[in-house]
Amino acid sequence: VCQRLPPNNAEHAYRLLAGTMCAETGLATTRDTYEAQGRGIVQFDEVRFKDIRKYIAVTRPELRAKIKQLYGIDFAGIGFGLVLDCSPLVCLIACRVGYMMIPEKLPPKDALIEQAKYWKKHWNSLLGAGTPEHYIKAVQKHANIISTR
């Protein structure tokens, strides 16, 4: 997903998406118990997912077409809920696009502290329970899995 979708920052994006999965679900080993929030391997809330879906389907029709061509997925028809729990691919595409929507550059691939701060600011939000320290610990815990790239 990171190499096939724009912009050309695949290595930075890979590290941030992998870190997001580590921090949010322990690489899909834990699940949010509150169904209205925290869906899928990167813990989407409904508002964020709808914003991403609208961005793909309406704001960036060329991106929608590319995703449909590459993966056979049309985000215009995807609803919030079960598909996020059952399709890691849909989650990763939406997460990649979610980070793509942020004007601030992605942190460098080897800058774990900057990645943690970026995740907190742009994904977990200032109101979220996660901390940069949690992100760092989660990435370090799963480093043997995510660093095989």
Side-chain angles (χ1 to χ4, degrees), residues 41-94:
I41 59 174
V42 293
Q43 300 283 298
F44 283 104
D45 62 51
E46 191 167 7
V47 172
R48 178 189 308 272
F49 185 74
K50 285 181 176 179
D51 286 347
I52 292 168
R53 185 181 63 203
K54 180 180 177 184
Y55 179 80
I56 293 170
V58 178
T59 308
R60 296 279 308 273
E62 79 289 352
L63 183 59
R64 177 184 175 190
K66 184 167 183 91
I67 291 168
K68 198 171 181 180
Q69 173 200 2
L70 290 170
Y71 304 106
I73 298 169
D74 186 357
F75 268 79
I78 294 177
F80 180 76
L82 190 59
V83 71
L84 294 174
D85 293 336
C86 298
S87 177
L89 179 59
V90 169
C91 288
L92 289 175
I93 293 168

Side-chain angles (χ1 to χ4, degrees), residues 2-3 13-14 19 21 23 47 51 67 69 91-92 95 112 114 123 134-135 141-142 146 149:
C2 293
Q3 291 180 343
Y14 170 80
M21 288 186 293
V47 172
D51 286 347
I67 291 168
Q69 173 200 2
C91 288
L92 289 175
C95 185
L112 184 57
E114 287 83 0
W123 195 267
H134 163 76
Y135 180 99
K141 178 180 178 180
H142 298 287
I146 64 172
R149 183 172 156 63

Side-chain angles (χ1 to χ4, degrees), residues 1-18 63 66-67 69-71 89 92-93 95-97 100 106 109 146 148-149:
V1 169
C2 293
Q3 291 180 343
R4 297 177 91 186
L5 295 178
N8 187 18
N9 58 3
E11 286 296 320
H12 304 314
Y14 170 80
R15 293 293 178 184
L16 192 58
L17 265 66
L63 183 59
K66 184 167 183 91
I67 291 168
Q69 173 200 2
L70 290 170
Y71 304 106
L89 179 59
L92 289 175
I93 293 168
C95 185
R96 171 77 162 126
V97 174
M100 193 184 301
L106 296 180
K109 66 179 180 176
I146 64 172
T148 59
R149 183 172 156 63

